[in-house]
Amino acid sequence: MPDLSLAKGADALLMLGDSERIADLFYATGFRAPDPFHYIATPDRAWVLVKDLELDRARQQVRDAEVLPLRCYEAARHQQGDNAAPGGVIADVLRELDLHSLQVPAYFPVATADDLRNAGFEITVVGSPLFPNRVIKTEAEVEAISNSLAAAESAMSVAIDAIRSAEIRDNLLVLGGEPLTSEAVRRLIHHTLLESDCRADHTIVAGGEQAIDPHQDGHGPLPAHAPIIVDIFPCSALTGYYGDITRTVVRGTASVTARELYDSVAAAQAFALETVADGVDGRLVHEGVSQHFVDAGYKTGEKDGRMQGYFHGTGHGLGLEIHEAPFMSRRCDPLRTGQVVTIEPGLYYAGIGGVRIEDVVVIENGGCRNLTSFPEVFEL
């Protein structure tokens, strides 16, 4: 069973949802399901309550928990009458297990929590982490992340090859006689990822002024002689773990200011890679990167209605979610051995464009080990 941190007085943890979207639920059970199911856990035992549709698969895949058929409790409830035992079927299950004080996550359905309170159960809402050790990755988890990252690197290679192969006409990129668009490169990326049983949403291929918005997916013809940010973060359909990589390239000749921007971001990333280690506060890493940019003369703030400069975190944890603890940002978050994090500083200015470089590392006692092998190239 995963480690479980219960609030004072709570008998058990109760979760309800589908494990395709709730990483904690998949982490606890190893069972990926598109429909909601209940998970109940005490420090010693756990139970999963599922419909007949998922019963056989749950019995094969659920780990460290007893699988209970929802049908049996629904039948007993019908025999007693529809109005018997308020609180729904889950209330009947909890009473049978002699559990009365429940801890639920912040994303637990409000209506279900109210029903249980009305049925006499004590409900305590708690924040993350539900499972404290989830932030520390096992060797198997690091391997799963590395495999997703390898798929992302393969897709990055295809994307950059397309950009490199494009001709330059009227300051735009042209491939095969047609304008090379963000959408076309994104399709190449997604097709490549599918070959590795990975899926990706919101893949970023953004050039020129579009790249000033760090989460702009990108659309339309790609510019020549201007930075193009390619950010790929696929999830494995087999394991549920993510990879993440970002590169910034220019097809043609970069301006002096764009080259200086790139060099400063590369130096900031090098600083962060040398700084992260077990026991280091992620906030201090972020502050060091921010100060590097200030010392280099790059200001951050809103200008002409747009944020410019360095206005996102230096990195985040990576695993069953694309953004999970720990975070290297303005808040304190000590790094620990076994955590897998991204290192992704960036700079964004109107008239120049955006630059971001991102690698994935695993924290170790004396520093970190870079899981990313894809080279950093700028001008193509």
Side-chain angles (χ1 to χ4, degrees):
M1 283 183 59
D3 61 318
L4 178 60
S5 178
L6 289 176
K8 184 177 180 180
D11 299 326
L13 167 68
L14 174 63
M15 289 195 286
L16 170 60
D18 71 83
S19 52
E20 286 193 350
R21 290 185 295 177
I22 299 178
D24 282 328
L25 202 49
F26 180 66
Y27 178 79
T29 64
F31 178 55
R32 185 176 296 279
D35 295 326
F37 63 90
H38 288 90
Y39 174 77
I40 309 163
T42 69
D44 303 315
R45 296 185 64 186
W47 301 264
V48 167
L49 187 67
V50 298
K51 300 176 182 178
D52 286 350
L53 177 68
E54 298 285 12
L55 186 58
D56 289 344
R57 199 165 64 89
R59 285 172 171 164
Q60 295 171 9
Q61 297 180 12
V62 169
R63 60 171 181 253
D64 300 325
E66 180 181 349
V67 177
L68 304 176
L70 179 65
R71 160 182 34 86
C72 297
Y73 294 91
E74 288 178 331
R77 191 171 181 80
H78 284 305
Q79 290 177 358
Q80 298 173 19
D82 290 341
N83 295 324
V89 171
I90 187 60
D92 299 339
V93 177
L94 292 168
R95 290 190 183 94
E96 181 179 291
L97 297 174
D98 196 28
L99 301 172
H100 306 283
S101 180
L102 306 168
Q103 170 178 306
V104 301
Y107 48 77
F108 192 84
V110 174
T112 305
D114 287 343
D115 286 345
L116 289 171
R117 287 192 179 101
N118 292 335
F121 292 88
E122 182 178 339
I123 303 295
T124 301
V125 179
V126 298
S128 297
L130 292 179
F131 306 107
N133 280 351
R134 194 185 130 195
V135 298
I136 307 297
K137 303 302 187 283
T138 65
E139 290 185 8
E141 288 179 296
V142 173
E143 181 179 2
I145 294 169
S146 296
N147 289 339
S148 293
L149 179 60
E153 292 190 29
S154 294
M156 182 67 75
S157 179
V158 169
I160 290 181
D161 284 348
I163 296 170
R164 180 186 284 113
S165 300
E167 299 177 9
I168 298 174
R169 299 182 190 172
D170 298 325
N171 290 321
L172 294 176
L173 302 187
V174 176
L175 186 64
E178 298 291 335
L180 183 62
T181 64
S182 295
E183 292 86 350
V185 175
R186 194 154 39 239
R187 282 192 293 272
L188 291 172
I189 291 169
H190 290 172
H191 289 166
T192 304
L193 291 174
L194 285 173
E195 294 175 357
S196 298
D197 291 317
C198 288
R199 66 181 189 274
D201 297 315
H202 305 294
T203 298
I204 294 170
V205 183
E209 294 295 299
Q210 292 181 20
I212 300 170
D213 178 353
H215 280 175
Q216 166 65 256
D217 290 357
H219 54 85
L222 289 168
H225 313 302
I228 300 170
I229 292 178
V230 182
D231 190 347
I232 307 172
F233 37 101
C235 179
S236 169
L238 303 178
T239 68
Y241 284 86
Y242 280 86
D244 202 356
I245 182 173
T246 304
R247 292 293 183 264
T248 302
V249 296
V250 170
R251 174 69 179 102
T253 303
S255 68
V256 173
T257 52
R259 165 56 72 178
E260 291 173 345
L261 211 66
Y262 186 90
D263 289 344
S264 188
V265 171
Q269 191 198 41
F271 163 81
L273 289 169
E274 293 174 357
T275 304
V276 296
D278 179 71
V280 173
D281 192 332
R283 178 178 62 87
L284 298 180
V285 179
H286 177 68
E287 288 179 349
V289 169
S290 299
Q291 189 61 49
H292 163 82
F293 289 138
V294 170
D295 293 343
Y298 293 108
K299 296 181 179 179
T300 295
E302 189 171 350
K303 183 179 180 182
D304 298 327
R306 302 188 70 174
M307 283 299 299
Q308 299 186 57
Y310 183 47
F311 48 93
H312 59 69
T314 296
H316 55 82
L318 189 69
L320 289 172
E321 295 176 284
I322 185 61
H323 298 117
E324 60 180 45
F327 294 93
M328 283 174 278
S329 59
R330 286 190 288 265
R331 73 183 190 188
C332 296
D333 208 344
L335 303 175
R336 297 164 58 192
T337 294
Q339 292 175 334
V340 176
V341 299
T342 67
I343 306 292
E344 50 177 310
L347 287 172
Y348 314 86
Y349 290 101
I352 305 174
V355 171
R356 184 166 65 255
I357 307 171
E358 176 182 28
D359 287 354
V360 175
V361 305
V362 57
I363 303 298
E364 297 180 338
N365 284 332
C368 69
R369 174 164 50 93
N370 199 330
L371 302 178
T372 309
S373 60
F374 195 87
E376 296 180 6
V377 295
F378 187 47
E379 288 182 295
L380 303 177

PDB file of all heavy atoms in Angstrom, residues 213-241:
ATOM      1  N   ASP A 213       3.997  34.440 -25.231  1.00  0.00           N
ATOM      2  CA  ASP A 213       3.080  33.803 -24.275  1.00  0.00           C
ATOM      3  C   ASP A 213       3.562  32.366 -24.071  1.00  0.00           C
ATOM      4  O   ASP A 213       3.469  31.538 -24.977  1.00  0.00           O
ATOM      5  CB  ASP A 213       1.660  33.815 -24.840  1.00  0.00           C
ATOM      6  CG  ASP A 213       0.654  33.135 -23.931  1.00  0.00           C
ATOM      7  OD1 ASP A 213       1.064  32.529 -22.921  1.00  0.00           O
ATOM      8  OD2 ASP A 213      -0.549  33.191 -24.239  1.00  0.00           O
ATOM      9  N   PRO A 214       4.096  32.019 -22.892  1.00  0.00           N
ATOM     10  CA  PRO A 214       4.721  30.706 -22.700  1.00  0.00           C
ATOM     11  C   PRO A 214       3.799  29.518 -22.961  1.00  0.00           C
ATOM     12  O   PRO A 214       4.274  28.432 -23.279  1.00  0.00           O
ATOM     13  CB  PRO A 214       5.171  30.741 -21.232  1.00  0.00           C
ATOM     14  CG  PRO A 214       5.348  32.186 -20.934  1.00  0.00           C
ATOM     15  CD  PRO A 214       4.283  32.894 -21.710  1.00  0.00           C
ATOM     16  N   HIS A 215       2.478  29.700 -22.795  1.00  0.00           N
ATOM     17  CA  HIS A 215       1.553  28.590 -23.008  1.00  0.00           C
ATOM     18  C   HIS A 215       0.734  28.739 -24.291  1.00  0.00           C
ATOM     19  O   HIS A 215      -0.297  28.084 -24.451  1.00  0.00           O
ATOM     20  CB  HIS A 215       0.625  28.425 -21.797  1.00  0.00           C
ATOM     21  CG  HIS A 215       1.266  27.700 -20.668  1.00  0.00           C
ATOM     22  ND1 HIS A 215       0.665  27.523 -19.427  1.00  0.00           N
ATOM     23  CD2 HIS A 215       2.476  27.084 -20.564  1.00  0.00           C
ATOM     24  CE1 HIS A 215       1.466  26.852 -18.630  1.00  0.00           C
ATOM     25  NE2 HIS A 215       2.572  26.563 -19.295  1.00  0.00           N
ATOM     26  N   GLN A 216       1.180  29.581 -25.197  1.00  0.00           N
ATOM     27  CA  GLN A 216       0.536  29.691 -26.495  1.00  0.00           C
ATOM     28  C   GLN A 216       0.896  28.468 -27.336  1.00  0.00           C
ATOM     29  O   GLN A 216       2.071  28.186 -27.580  1.00  0.00           O
ATOM     30  CB  GLN A 216       0.988  30.977 -27.191  1.00  0.00           C
ATOM     31  CG  GLN A 216       0.673  31.076 -28.667  1.00  0.00           C
ATOM     32  CD  GLN A 216      -0.808  31.114 -28.967  1.00  0.00           C
ATOM     33  OE1 GLN A 216      -1.385  30.122 -29.398  1.00  0.00           O
ATOM     34  NE2 GLN A 216      -1.425  32.272 -28.712  1.00  0.00           N
ATOM     35  N   ASP A 217      -0.125  27.702 -27.793  1.00  0.00           N
ATOM     36  CA  ASP A 217       0.144  26.503 -28.586  1.00  0.00           C
ATOM     37  C   ASP A 217       0.860  26.844 -29.888  1.00  0.00           C
ATOM     38  O   ASP A 217       1.697  26.076 -30.366  1.00  0.00           O
ATOM     39  CB  ASP A 217      -1.164  25.778 -28.917  1.00  0.00           C
ATOM     40  CG  ASP A 217      -1.802  25.129 -27.703  1.00  0.00           C
ATOM     41  OD1 ASP A 217      -1.195  25.188 -26.615  1.00  0.00           O
ATOM     42  OD2 ASP A 217      -2.897  24.574 -27.843  1.00  0.00           O
ATOM     43  N   GLY A 218       0.510  27.978 -30.491  1.00  0.00           N
ATOM     44  CA  GLY A 218       1.059  28.361 -31.782  1.00  0.00           C
ATOM     45  C   GLY A 218       0.113  28.018 -32.912  1.00  0.00           C
ATOM     46  O   GLY A 218      -0.586  27.002 -32.882  1.00  0.00           O
ATOM     47  N   HIS A 219       0.055  28.899 -33.904  1.00  0.00           N
ATOM     48  CA  HIS A 219      -0.842  28.679 -35.030  1.00  0.00           C
ATOM     49  C   HIS A 219      -0.323  29.451 -36.243  1.00  0.00           C
ATOM     50  O   HIS A 219       0.359  30.462 -36.115  1.00  0.00           O
ATOM     51  CB  HIS A 219      -2.274  29.135 -34.698  1.00  0.00           C
ATOM     52  CG  HIS A 219      -2.352  30.554 -34.213  1.00  0.00           C
ATOM     53  ND1 HIS A 219      -2.434  31.638 -35.054  1.00  0.00           N
ATOM     54  CD2 HIS A 219      -2.326  31.068 -32.944  1.00  0.00           C
ATOM     55  CE1 HIS A 219      -2.486  32.751 -34.342  1.00  0.00           C
ATOM     56  NE2 HIS A 219      -2.421  32.438 -33.055  1.00  0.00           N
ATOM     57  N   GLY A 220      -0.639  28.921 -37.430  1.00  0.00           N
ATOM     58  CA  GLY A 220      -0.290  29.600 -38.664  1.00  0.00           C
ATOM     59  C   GLY A 220       1.145  29.381 -39.104  1.00  0.00           C
ATOM     60  O   GLY A 220       1.898  28.609 -38.495  1.00  0.00           O
ATOM     61  N   PRO A 221       1.549  30.081 -40.190  1.00  0.00           N
ATOM     62  CA  PRO A 221       2.900  29.921 -40.747  1.00  0.00           C
ATOM     63  C   PRO A 221       3.986  30.291 -39.740  1.00  0.00           C
ATOM     64  O   PRO A 221       3.861  31.266 -38.992  1.00  0.00           O
ATOM     65  CB  PRO A 221       2.898  30.884 -41.943  1.00  0.00           C
ATOM     66  CG  PRO A 221       1.452  31.045 -42.307  1.00  0.00           C
ATOM     67  CD  PRO A 221       0.702  30.967 -41.010  1.00  0.00           C
ATOM     68  N   LEU A 222       5.068  29.511 -39.770  1.00  0.00           N
ATOM     69  CA  LEU A 222       6.187  29.767 -38.870  1.00  0.00           C
ATOM     70  C   LEU A 222       7.155  30.756 -39.506  1.00  0.00           C
ATOM     71  O   LEU A 222       7.439  30.697 -40.704  1.00  0.00           O
ATOM     72  CB  LEU A 222       6.917  28.460 -38.554  1.00  0.00           C
ATOM     73  CG  LEU A 222       6.144  27.488 -37.660  1.00  0.00           C
ATOM     74  CD1 LEU A 222       6.815  26.122 -37.660  1.00  0.00           C
ATOM     75  CD2 LEU A 222       6.040  28.033 -36.239  1.00  0.00           C
ATOM     76  N   PRO A 223       7.685  31.675 -38.690  1.00  0.00           N
ATOM     77  CA  PRO A 223       8.573  32.707 -39.239  1.00  0.00           C
ATOM     78  C   PRO A 223      10.006  32.210 -39.404  1.00  0.00           C
ATOM     79  O   PRO A 223      10.475  31.344 -38.655  1.00  0.00           O
ATOM     80  CB  PRO A 223       8.502  33.804 -38.178  1.00  0.00           C
ATOM     81  CG  PRO A 223       8.284  33.050 -36.901  1.00  0.00           C
ATOM     82  CD  PRO A 223       7.404  31.889 -37.264  1.00  0.00           C
ATOM     83  N   ALA A 224      10.691  32.783 -40.353  1.00  0.00           N
ATOM     84  CA  ALA A 224      12.136  32.580 -40.481  1.00  0.00           C
ATOM     85  C   ALA A 224      12.854  33.656 -39.673  1.00  0.00           C
ATOM     86  O   ALA A 224      12.291  34.701 -39.345  1.00  0.00           O
ATOM     87  CB  ALA A 224      12.548  32.668 -41.945  1.00  0.00           C
ATOM     88  N   HIS A 225      14.108  33.364 -39.304  1.00  0.00           N
ATOM     89  CA  HIS A 225      14.989  34.333 -38.628  1.00  0.00           C
ATOM     90  C   HIS A 225      14.447  34.761 -37.253  1.00  0.00           C
ATOM     91  O   HIS A 225      14.879  35.795 -36.724  1.00  0.00           O
ATOM     92  CB  HIS A 225      15.211  35.579 -39.495  1.00  0.00           C
ATOM     93  CG  HIS A 225      15.555  35.289 -40.909  1.00  0.00           C
ATOM     94  ND1 HIS A 225      16.645  34.530 -41.268  1.00  0.00           N
ATOM     95  CD2 HIS A 225      14.931  35.643 -42.080  1.00  0.00           C
ATOM     96  CE1 HIS A 225      16.705  34.429 -42.589  1.00  0.00           C
ATOM     97  NE2 HIS A 225      15.677  35.086 -43.108  1.00  0.00           N
ATOM     98  N   ALA A 226      13.529  33.998 -36.672  1.00  0.00           N
ATOM     99  CA  ALA A 226      12.959  34.346 -35.365  1.00  0.00           C
ATOM    100  C   ALA A 226      12.867  33.080 -34.515  1.00  0.00           C
ATOM    101  O   ALA A 226      12.700  31.973 -35.046  1.00  0.00           O
ATOM    102  CB  ALA A 226      11.571  34.973 -35.536  1.00  0.00           C
ATOM    103  N   PRO A 227      12.974  33.211 -33.183  1.00  0.00           N
ATOM    104  CA  PRO A 227      12.906  32.029 -32.319  1.00  0.00           C
ATOM    105  C   PRO A 227      11.563  31.312 -32.442  1.00  0.00           C
ATOM    106  O   PRO A 227      10.503  31.937 -32.496  1.00  0.00           O
ATOM    107  CB  PRO A 227      13.107  32.609 -30.917  1.00  0.00           C
ATOM    108  CG  PRO A 227      13.828  33.894 -31.135  1.00  0.00           C
ATOM    109  CD  PRO A 227      13.291  34.437 -32.422  1.00  0.00           C
ATOM    110  N   ILE A 228      11.642  29.982 -32.471  1.00  0.00           N
ATOM    111  CA  ILE A 228      10.472  29.103 -32.453  1.00  0.00           C
ATOM    112  C   ILE A 228      10.606  28.187 -31.240  1.00  0.00           C
ATOM    113  O   ILE A 228      11.590  27.448 -31.127  1.00  0.00           O
ATOM    114  CB  ILE A 228      10.371  28.258 -33.730  1.00  0.00           C
ATOM    115  CG1 ILE A 228      10.260  29.156 -34.973  1.00  0.00           C
ATOM    116  CG2 ILE A 228       9.182  27.300 -33.664  1.00  0.00           C
ATOM    117  CD1 ILE A 228      10.399  28.398 -36.286  1.00  0.00           C
ATOM    118  N   ILE A 229       9.649  28.254 -30.334  1.00  0.00           N
ATOM    119  CA  ILE A 229       9.660  27.400 -29.149  1.00  0.00           C
ATOM    120  C   ILE A 229       8.878  26.126 -29.449  1.00  0.00           C
ATOM    121  O   ILE A 229       7.726  26.175 -29.897  1.00  0.00           O
ATOM    122  CB  ILE A 229       9.049  28.122 -27.934  1.00  0.00           C
ATOM    123  CG1 ILE A 229       9.951  29.282 -27.495  1.00  0.00           C
ATOM    124  CG2 ILE A 229       8.844  27.149 -26.769  1.00  0.00           C
ATOM    125  CD1 ILE A 229       9.395  30.081 -26.326  1.00  0.00           C
ATOM    126  N   VAL A 230       9.512  24.981 -29.178  1.00  0.00           N
ATOM    127  CA  VAL A 230       8.855  23.677 -29.318  1.00  0.00           C
ATOM    128  C   VAL A 230       8.883  23.004 -27.952  1.00  0.00           C
ATOM    129  O   VAL A 230       9.955  22.696 -27.425  1.00  0.00           O
ATOM    130  CB  VAL A 230       9.567  22.799 -30.366  1.00  0.00           C
ATOM    131  CG1 VAL A 230       8.820  21.465 -30.529  1.00  0.00           C
ATOM    132  CG2 VAL A 230       9.673  23.524 -31.704  1.00  0.00           C
ATOM    133  N   ASP A 231       7.704  22.797 -27.380  1.00  0.00           N
ATOM    134  CA  ASP A 231       7.564  22.233 -26.025  1.00  0.00           C
ATOM    135  C   ASP A 231       6.671  21.007 -26.127  1.00  0.00           C
ATOM    136  O   ASP A 231       5.491  21.104 -26.472  1.00  0.00           O
ATOM    137  CB  ASP A 231       6.953  23.289 -25.098  1.00  0.00           C
ATOM    138  CG  ASP A 231       6.997  22.871 -23.626  1.00  0.00           C
ATOM    139  OD1 ASP A 231       7.256  21.689 -23.340  1.00  0.00           O
ATOM    140  OD2 ASP A 231       6.746  23.740 -22.765  1.00  0.00           O
ATOM    141  N   ILE A 232       7.238  19.831 -25.828  1.00  0.00           N
ATOM    142  CA  ILE A 232       6.537  18.554 -25.989  1.00  0.00           C
ATOM    143  C   ILE A 232       6.470  17.864 -24.628  1.00  0.00           C
ATOM    144  O   ILE A 232       7.501  17.625 -23.992  1.00  0.00           O
ATOM    145  CB  ILE A 232       7.264  17.660 -27.006  1.00  0.00           C
ATOM    146  CG1 ILE A 232       7.488  18.418 -28.328  1.00  0.00           C
ATOM    147  CG2 ILE A 232       6.483  16.375 -27.251  1.00  0.00           C
ATOM    148  CD1 ILE A 232       8.373  17.674 -29.317  1.00  0.00           C
ATOM    149  N   PHE A 233       5.276  17.507 -24.189  1.00  0.00           N
ATOM    150  CA  PHE A 233       5.125  16.878 -22.870  1.00  0.00           C
ATOM    151  C   PHE A 233       4.107  15.745 -22.943  1.00  0.00           C
ATOM    152  O   PHE A 233       2.966  15.856 -22.496  1.00  0.00           O
ATOM    153  CB  PHE A 233       4.748  17.899 -21.800  1.00  0.00           C
ATOM    154  CG  PHE A 233       3.803  18.983 -22.248  1.00  0.00           C
ATOM    155  CD1 PHE A 233       2.449  18.924 -21.940  1.00  0.00           C
ATOM    156  CD2 PHE A 233       4.264  20.082 -22.962  1.00  0.00           C
ATOM    157  CE1 PHE A 233       1.577  19.928 -22.342  1.00  0.00           C
ATOM    158  CE2 PHE A 233       3.410  21.087 -23.374  1.00  0.00           C
ATOM    159  CZ  PHE A 233       2.050  21.001 -23.053  1.00  0.00           C
ATOM    160  N   PRO A 234       4.532  14.596 -23.482  1.00  0.00           N
ATOM    161  CA  PRO A 234       3.612  13.473 -23.687  1.00  0.00           C
ATOM    162  C   PRO A 234       3.398  12.636 -22.429  1.00  0.00           C
ATOM    163  O   PRO A 234       4.236  12.594 -21.525  1.00  0.00           O
ATOM    164  CB  PRO A 234       4.335  12.651 -24.747  1.00  0.00           C
ATOM    165  CG  PRO A 234       5.777  12.869 -24.437  1.00  0.00           C
ATOM    166  CD  PRO A 234       5.883  14.294 -23.974  1.00  0.00           C
ATOM    167  N   CYS A 235       2.260  11.940 -22.423  1.00  0.00           N
ATOM    168  CA  CYS A 235       1.937  10.989 -21.369  1.00  0.00           C
ATOM    169  C   CYS A 235       1.879   9.598 -21.990  1.00  0.00           C
ATOM    170  O   CYS A 235       1.258   9.407 -23.043  1.00  0.00           O
ATOM    171  CB  CYS A 235       0.600  11.336 -20.731  1.00  0.00           C
ATOM    172  SG  CYS A 235       0.085  10.193 -19.425  1.00  0.00           S
ATOM    173  N   SER A 236       2.506   8.638 -21.365  1.00  0.00           N
ATOM    174  CA  SER A 236       2.481   7.275 -21.866  1.00  0.00           C
ATOM    175  C   SER A 236       1.119   6.645 -21.622  1.00  0.00           C
ATOM    176  O   SER A 236       0.602   6.649 -20.496  1.00  0.00           O
ATOM    177  CB  SER A 236       3.555   6.427 -21.176  1.00  0.00           C
ATOM    178  OG  SER A 236       3.379   5.051 -21.475  1.00  0.00           O
ATOM    179  N   ALA A 237       0.530   6.078 -22.674  1.00  0.00           N
ATOM    180  CA  ALA A 237      -0.735   5.366 -22.531  1.00  0.00           C
ATOM    181  C   ALA A 237      -0.552   4.052 -21.786  1.00  0.00           C
ATOM    182  O   ALA A 237      -1.528   3.464 -21.303  1.00  0.00           O
ATOM    183  CB  ALA A 237      -1.347   5.099 -23.910  1.00  0.00           C
ATOM    184  N   LEU A 238       0.688   3.594 -21.677  1.00  0.00           N
ATOM    185  CA  LEU A 238       0.974   2.322 -21.013  1.00  0.00           C
ATOM    186  C   LEU A 238       1.216   2.487 -19.519  1.00  0.00           C
ATOM    187  O   LEU A 238       0.763   1.669 -18.718  1.00  0.00           O
ATOM    188  CB  LEU A 238       2.200   1.664 -21.662  1.00  0.00           C
ATOM    189  CG  LEU A 238       2.099   1.400 -23.176  1.00  0.00           C
ATOM    190  CD1 LEU A 238       3.399   0.803 -23.694  1.00  0.00           C
ATOM    191  CD2 LEU A 238       0.924   0.492 -23.482  1.00  0.00           C
ATOM    192  N   THR A 239       1.937   3.555 -19.135  1.00  0.00           N
ATOM    193  CA  THR A 239       2.313   3.724 -17.725  1.00  0.00           C
ATOM    194  C   THR A 239       1.628   4.895 -17.041  1.00  0.00           C
ATOM    195  O   THR A 239       1.545   4.934 -15.817  1.00  0.00           O
ATOM    196  CB  THR A 239       3.830   3.912 -17.593  1.00  0.00           C
ATOM    197  OG1 THR A 239       4.208   5.178 -18.175  1.00  0.00           O
ATOM    198  CG2 THR A 239       4.586   2.783 -18.278  1.00  0.00           C
ATOM    199  N   GLY A 240       1.188   5.889 -17.809  1.00  0.00           N
ATOM    200  CA  GLY A 240       0.584   7.083 -17.223  1.00  0.00           C
ATOM    201  C   GLY A 240       1.589   8.149 -16.835  1.00  0.00           C
ATOM    202  O   GLY A 240       1.196   9.211 -16.329  1.00  0.00           O
ATOM    203  N   TYR A 241       2.890   7.922 -17.079  1.00  0.00           N
ATOM    204  CA  TYR A 241       3.914   8.888 -16.684  1.00  0.00           C
ATOM    205  C   TYR A 241       4.274   9.811 -17.845  1.00  0.00           C
ATOM    206  O   TYR A 241       4.236   9.419 -19.004  1.00  0.00           O
ATOM    207  CB  TYR A 241       5.160   8.171 -16.162  1.00  0.00           C
ATOM    208  CG  TYR A 241       4.956   7.631 -14.771  1.00  0.00           C
ATOM    209  CD1 TYR A 241       4.374   6.384 -14.572  1.00  0.00           C
ATOM    210  CD2 TYR A 241       5.311   8.381 -13.650  1.00  0.00           C
ATOM    211  CE1 TYR A 241       4.143   5.888 -13.288  1.00  0.00           C
ATOM    212  CE2 TYR A 241       5.097   7.885 -12.365  1.00  0.00           C
ATOM    213  CZ  TYR A 241       4.509   6.650 -12.190  1.00  0.00           C
ATOM    214  OH  TYR A 241       4.274   6.173 -10.931  1.00  0.00           O
TER     215      TYR A 241
END
